Amino acid sequence: MTDAYRTAGFVCPTCPNSALREFQSRLVCDECNGMMIGADDVVTSIHELDGLSGSVSFSDATPSKKPCPRCQGAMTSAEVVVGHTRVYGHSLHCEKHGVWISQGAH
């Protein structure tokens, strides 16, 4: 017997009760257009845009009450820094699973 009201496997950390869908190795929220992307994928994606190289790091990290959609561990709110460039605003970061990129990040 199946349960028609099962909960989703992955839940958006910013939209209450919104399910995430998998797209390649990423998790995407169709409500807020946010995306959970692995740290290595962040590096590749940014360098495809800027044509440069440089490491990705996280600064100004503070604890967050938002859970990681993959492991449910608490994420931190941190600035993503690529080389010497800071990505606008703070993003949610899970040490194991990557970064939650909100729609307004640039």
Side-chain angles (χ1 to χ4, degrees), residues 66-103:
K66 303 287 184 175
C68 171
R70 292 204 184 270
C71 69
Q72 299 303 306
M75 293 192 283
T76 59
S77 175
E79 282 188 312
V80 180
V81 181
V82 181
H84 298 290
T85 304
R86 294 177 185 270
V87 176
Y88 176 77
H90 279 74
S91 297
L92 294 171
H93 173 243
C94 173
E95 196 67 38
K96 291 180 186 176
H97 297 107
V99 181
W100 178 259
I101 304 292
S102 297
Q103 180 180 7

Side-chain angles (χ1 to χ4, degrees), residues 29-95:
C29 178
D30 291 324
E31 291 293 319
C32 68
N33 295 315
M35 180 183 345
M36 185 73 179
I37 181 170
D40 292 341
D41 202 358
V42 170
V43 174
T44 302
S45 297
I46 290 173
H47 294 318
E48 284 177 0
L49 294 173
D50 68 11
L52 304 173
S53 62
S55 63
V56 172
S57 61
F58 302 94
S59 69
D60 196 25
T62 56
S64 166
K65 293 183 181 181
K66 303 287 184 175
C68 171
R70 292 204 184 270
C71 69
Q72 299 303 306
M75 293 192 283
T76 59
S77 175
E79 282 188 312
V80 180
V81 181
V82 181
H84 298 290
T85 304
R86 294 177 185 270
V87 176
Y88 176 77
H90 279 74
S91 297
L92 294 171
H93 173 243
C94 173
E95 196 67 38

Side-chain angles (χ1 to χ4, degrees), residues 23-34:
F23 177 72
Q24 297 174 352
S25 62
R26 302 171 181 180
L27 294 176
V28 178
C29 178
D30 291 324
E31 291 293 319
C32 68
N33 295 315

